[in-house]
Amino acid sequence: MRLIDIKRYINIAFENFSPKYSNSNGNYYIDNVLNVKKAVQALQKARFVSLDNPLLENINASITDRLILSSSQDSQYQILFNKIQYMITALHEWANSYIPTEERDTTVNIKLPPIENLKDLSVTASIIQKSFSRVVSEFGGELKIKQFDHGSYWIVLDANDIETVKFIGTLVSAGWCIAKSSVFLIKSYLEIQSMGLDNQIKKLDIERIEREVIKKRAEEKAKELNEEYFKRENEKETDINERLDRIAASLSEIVKLLKIGGEVYPALTSSPEVEEVFPNFKEKLIEYTKIDLLENKKNNPEAEQ
């Protein structure tokens, strides 16, 4: 998890953790429970607390804004909540002084694949640049590096406006679909090869087939994206074809990024409308390729034949 996400969860907890205690006729109450619940859930997502604690489990399960307690429960909650309040205050002060950058709705977050050396970093940076720069610029958007997230392999970009963020999400989703379909197809070929049923299939160059499948699917998706985002009146056919080549090349690079373990997300604070444009990376349907393998193919002409 990125530190900027942890900071966001801490701030949610800081804004919402305000339990109020009262008692009447032998009954004890905690009010403002639904706000406390938001704070507890944020802390749980950032892994500062566990909902295995029965007191917090009660808070998380609450659907009303008031809990009725016994006197011993009231004492237990006050002791626990005093500790949590102290923790939230300390974390809030630390996070907002150590991580000054705030996420905006125009933020795009790229999780880098595992980086083992400077060469890996160089290859990954090149793939990211080829994936987005030219096509996003032609769309009318702008991408600027906002920061490298503290202590993790993330690049935080600012896309300047929401429409550009959604366009990037559409590109990445298209690349995700291409990557998944190519992986599924190649798995099928490999399974048939392993059975030894057909000598012709045995001789197939699987890597070449994969490249051709990705290229073909990228060209098909490029036509769809061009029609949706770039259609212009009285445009020359040569200009259209050049743009189709750029979009297809962008999608092919996005597939590379995804296959080496890269992921692209909108801001944590994004609206559902923006979030749903991006793929769900919880679906681990891609077998990742090592970065150095991509580079070796690039520098070895025989591997491309």
Side-chain angles (χ1 to χ4, degrees):
M1 183 181 295
R2 300 171 307 142
L3 286 182
I4 201 168
D5 293 338
I6 294 172
K7 175 186 174 181
R8 177 65 182 155
Y9 289 132
I10 291 169
N11 286 343
I12 290 171
F14 185 81
E15 291 160 9
N16 288 281
F17 194 80
S18 54
K20 298 185 173 98
Y21 308 98
S22 61
N23 62 81
S24 174
N25 299 324
N27 288 324
Y28 293 80
Y29 306 99
I30 298 179
D31 294 314
N32 206 23
V33 172
L34 295 182
N35 275 8
V36 173
K37 179 178 177 178
K38 285 182 189 175
V40 168
Q41 288 176 338
L43 291 173
Q44 189 269 334
K45 287 175 182 175
R47 300 180 185 177
F48 290 115
V49 300
S50 169
L51 297 182
D52 291 340
N53 182 308
L55 298 178
L56 297 183
E57 188 179 8
N58 287 341
I59 295 292
N60 189 52
S62 179
I63 58 173
T64 64
D65 213 25
R66 167 177 274 194
L67 280 184
I68 303 174
L69 311 170
S70 66
S71 115
S72 64
Q73 286 175 321
D74 178 69
S75 175
Q76 290 171 10
Y77 269 111
Q78 292 211 36
I79 291 170
L80 176 63
F81 282 177
N82 284 341
K83 291 178 180 177
I84 290 176
Q85 184 69 70
Y86 179 83
M87 177 180 70
I88 290 172
T89 302
L91 287 170
H92 182 263
E93 183 178 345
W94 169 80
N96 285 277
S97 58
Y98 182 62
I99 315 166
T101 304
E102 293 287 349
E103 263 200 329
R104 303 194 305 167
D105 289 345
T106 56
T107 298
V108 175
N109 304 294
I110 301 180
K111 179 184 177 183
L112 302 183
I115 304 292
E116 296 182 4
N117 49 53
L118 290 174
K119 190 173 184 180
D120 287 351
L121 181 61
S122 172
V123 172
T124 303
S126 175
I127 291 172
I128 292 171
Q129 189 268 333
K130 291 175 184 176
S131 294
F132 299 111
S133 290
R134 290 190 67 183
V135 176
V136 168
S137 175
E138 186 158 1
F139 174 75
E142 182 181 13
L143 281 176
K144 291 184 177 178
I145 293 179
K146 195 172 182 182
Q147 71 175 56
F148 289 89
D149 192 55
H150 298 64
S152 63
Y153 294 138
W154 287 82
I155 295 177
V156 182
L157 304 176
D158 193 326
N160 201 41
D161 62 73
I162 298 296
E163 291 307 310
T164 301
V165 173
K166 290 168 71 175
F167 177 65
I168 290 170
T170 302
L171 281 174
V172 175
S173 289
W176 182 245
C177 289
I178 295 167
K180 286 197 297 184
S181 63
S182 68
V183 167
F184 177 78
L185 181 64
I186 298 312
K187 275 184 177 178
S188 301
Y189 274 117
L190 289 172
E191 285 175 11
I192 295 172
Q193 275 189 337
S194 68
M195 295 177 187
L197 299 177
D198 189 320
N199 286 331
Q200 289 301 110
I201 290 178
K202 266 186 171 181
K203 296 174 184 176
L204 287 176
D205 183 342
I206 299 297
E207 289 184 2
R208 181 182 59 78
I209 291 172
E210 183 179 30
R211 289 195 301 273
E212 290 178 357
V213 167
I214 290 172
K215 183 174 183 293
K216 184 174 186 300
R217 297 279 164 83
E219 288 170 351
E220 291 169 354
K221 286 286 185 183
K223 290 177 182 177
E224 294 175 17
L225 292 170
N226 185 65
E227 187 70 18
E228 183 175 355
Y229 290 100
F230 297 100
K231 193 173 181 180
R232 295 164 187 166
E233 295 293 331
N234 302 320
E235 191 172 22
K236 293 180 182 177
E237 188 173 347
T238 52
D239 292 338
I240 295 172
N241 290 335
E242 286 175 3
R243 187 187 308 112
L244 288 172
D245 288 343
R246 286 193 290 273
I247 298 172
S250 171
L251 291 173
S252 294
E253 294 297 324
I254 289 171
V255 170
K256 284 184 189 176
L257 177 64
L258 298 175
K259 289 199 69 181
I260 58 176
E263 298 175 5
V264 185
Y265 296 88
L268 189 67
T269 54
S270 291
S271 66
E273 180 189 5
V274 173
E275 284 184 359
E276 68 186 14
V277 176
F278 286 75
N280 179 7
F281 289 106
K282 290 179 181 177
E283 298 180 74
K284 297 297 183 185
L285 300 181
I286 291 181
E287 292 182 353
Y288 297 121
T289 304
K290 280 193 170 184
I291 297 173
D292 60 355
L293 183 58
L294 287 180
E295 185 65 5
N296 288 340
K297 286 181 185 178
K298 176 182 171 184
N299 293 327
N300 181 5
E302 291 182 4
E304 293 295 323
Q305 292 176 0

